[in-house]
Amino acid sequence: MMSRYSSYKTSALGLLLVMAGLLAGCSSTKPEQKADATAPGGVKVTGNNGSLFGFLKPYRIDIQQGNFVSKEMVSQLKPGMTREQVRFVLGTPLLADMFHANRWDYDFRLAKGNGQIMASRVSVFFKENLLEHVEGGDDLPTEQEYLTLISNAKVGARPELSDTNIKPASPVAPSANEK
């Protein structure tokens, strides 16, 4: 006959093994990825379920790396622009390599907490310090699509506007009389 102590000990050991198995499933570092959409030279979006038993989902933060370049930004680029003009439009490049001095790379990666990953790359090429051509950026999102993506809003949803009438400040050039 089993004693009461050994019965508790067996139950506790079984419970401990079940808990360890559940926690091991939560600590996976490489979730299974499935491709949702791929655009060569543009934006690549992948995603995964990232849940345990279909309903347990640990909290994960959004991680943004690199320079976000929108469709509107690339449309402003014209051959013959100077490096300063390109920097004004696109921002400082993520990769400016001394071995490829005539090439700037704008890499971007957004890993959402739900497992969705958005990545894009735009490369800008110069010849004699003037913009020659741009590679990538064919299927980049617009700024509104990006804001919708990071805010988890539905596509086409409009943000709520306040009833306060705020006008943007208009720049005023200093006059010659001001000191």
Side-chain angles (χ1 to χ4, degrees):
M1 183 186 223
M2 268 174 73
S3 71
R4 185 179 286 178
Y5 174 73
S6 63
S7 174
Y8 287 133
K9 187 176 176 182
T10 305
S11 298
L13 182 61
L15 182 62
L16 184 64
L17 289 175
V18 169
M19 294 290 285
L22 289 174
L23 289 175
C26 289
S27 68
S28 64
T29 57
K30 294 187 179 181
E32 182 178 318
Q33 298 277 335
K34 68 174 187 175
D36 293 333
T38 303
V43 177
K44 183 173 80 171
V45 179
T46 60
N48 69 346
N49 188 358
S51 65
L52 179 65
F53 303 122
F55 63 92
L56 294 175
K57 295 181 183 177
Y59 176 75
R60 293 189 172 108
I61 62 170
D62 296 347
I63 300 171
Q64 177 178 328
Q65 297 172 313
N67 306 74
F68 173 71
V69 177
S70 68
K71 190 179 291 186
E72 294 93 348
M73 293 165 78
V74 171
S75 69
Q76 293 178 24
L77 296 177
K78 305 290 181 226
M81 293 176 79
T82 65
R83 289 178 184 259
E84 291 77 24
Q85 291 171 324
V86 172
R87 184 177 283 125
F88 180 77
V89 173
L90 298 180
T92 304
L94 184 66
L95 299 172
D97 187 4
M98 69 180 200
F99 296 110
H100 302 99
N102 293 326
R103 173 181 174 164
W104 286 353
D105 291 314
Y106 291 86
D107 286 334
F108 176 75
R109 185 174 189 269
L110 173 66
K112 303 269 299 168
N114 63 5
Q116 186 179 18
I117 297 174
M118 180 177 127
S120 66
R121 178 179 215 158
V122 176
S123 297
V124 180
F125 294 88
F126 296 94
K127 185 174 186 180
E128 297 175 6
N129 288 327
L130 297 177
L131 178 63
E132 183 179 27
H133 70 280
V134 178
E135 287 183 5
D138 301 326
D139 297 326
L140 293 173
T142 63
E143 291 174 8
Q144 185 61 42
E145 291 170 343
Y146 175 69
L147 291 173
T148 302
L149 177 69
I150 63 173
S151 67
N152 295 325
K154 294 182 181 177
V155 175
R158 295 179 180 235
E160 288 188 31
L161 301 175
S162 66
D163 57 355
T164 308
N165 189 8
I166 300 173
K167 294 182 181 179
S170 57
V172 178
S175 66
N177 297 336
E178 290 182 17
K179 293 182 182 179

